[in-house]
Amino acid sequence: MSKKALTILGSTSTIGVNTLDIVQQHPESFDLVALTAHQSTEKLLEQCMQFKPKYAAMSDPSAADKLQKSIKEQNLNTKVVSGEDAICSLVQSSETDYVMAAIGGSAGLAPTLAAATAGKRIMLANKESLVVAGQIFMDAVKKSNCDLIPVDSEHNAIFQCLGSPALNSIDTTHIDK
């Protein structure tokens, strides 16, 4: 079984941390390509020290500079990049196969859309990508034939219902439209 090359968008978020817990429990299954955060340099540094990803990306350039200094002080081989374009490049890279999209809010749209366009397998915890640009996002998913796996509670519940034969038997005629 080959390792899954994983990039975690928003690794310092609750879902990102929980994803890293799974990686820690199954190190034989994952190769961490990149971890990303906005400004949480201390937490991202801790993650880099523990998991040793190839890349660490900060959307905020000044936070990336701070992280770069800390990475150098710790003598880690993790390359630090910054900005939305760099994060989008990481998810589109041939080094990444799986993307955990855990960046909150509309900030997660561009990198998650980049992953969809590149045909990556996306574990979607960022519902705002669907709220802000649902049709554009789903068109990219269909065009690239990528796998989209909803992992946040609300859209996972919808996903489960849509795949369930029980949904077809629900009487919705009484619901106001």
Side-chain angles (χ1 to χ4, degrees):
M1 179 178 176
S2 65
K3 287 188 171 189
K4 293 163 181 62
L6 175 65
T7 289
I8 302 176
L9 301 172
S11 67
T12 61
S13 70
T14 302
I15 292 173
V17 168
N18 289 336
T19 302
L20 286 170
D21 285 343
I22 293 168
V23 169
Q24 183 177 21
Q25 292 172 29
H26 303 280
E28 73 285 353
S29 298
F30 299 98
D31 178 27
L32 273 177
V33 177
L35 300 177
T36 77
H38 178 57
Q39 292 180 321
S40 300
T41 55
E42 290 177 17
K43 193 168 188 178
L44 188 55
L45 175 62
E46 290 172 11
Q47 291 175 341
C48 289
M49 290 169 58
Q50 181 177 358
F51 294 98
K52 298 179 179 40
K54 293 178 186 176
Y55 303 94
M58 305 292 296
S59 58
D60 179 87
S62 62
D65 290 341
K66 182 178 176 184
L67 180 65
Q68 177 61 49
K69 289 175 186 167
S70 298
I71 292 278
K72 188 174 182 178
E73 288 171 4
Q74 294 297 322
N75 202 28
L76 297 174
N77 289 325
T78 300
K79 181 178 179 182
V80 178
V81 298
S82 69
E84 186 177 86
D85 289 344
I87 294 170
C88 289
S89 292
L90 286 172
V91 299
Q92 291 183 318
S93 148
S94 62
E95 293 180 86
T96 298
D97 297 318
Y98 295 77
V99 176
M100 169 54 79
I103 296 174
S106 61
L109 177 59
T112 306
L113 185 57
T117 302
K120 305 300 177 174
R121 174 171 265 191
I122 303 169
M123 285 76 65
L124 185 66
N126 174 290
K127 61 186 156 276
E128 290 84 4
S129 293
L130 295 174
V131 172
V132 172
Q135 190 63 53
I136 294 166
F137 185 76
M138 292 310 296
D139 287 348
V141 166
K142 289 175 188 170
K143 185 176 181 180
S144 70
N145 199 31
C146 80
D147 290 327
L148 180 62
I149 303 162
V151 295
D152 196 27
S153 57
E154 292 91 351
H155 52 286
N156 188 277
I158 293 168
F159 176 76
Q160 290 178 44
C161 286
L162 291 175
S164 169
L167 182 65
N168 297 329
S169 65
I170 296 172
D171 179 10
T172 59
T173 57
H174 66 283
I175 299 173
D176 290 334
K177 303 214 180 198

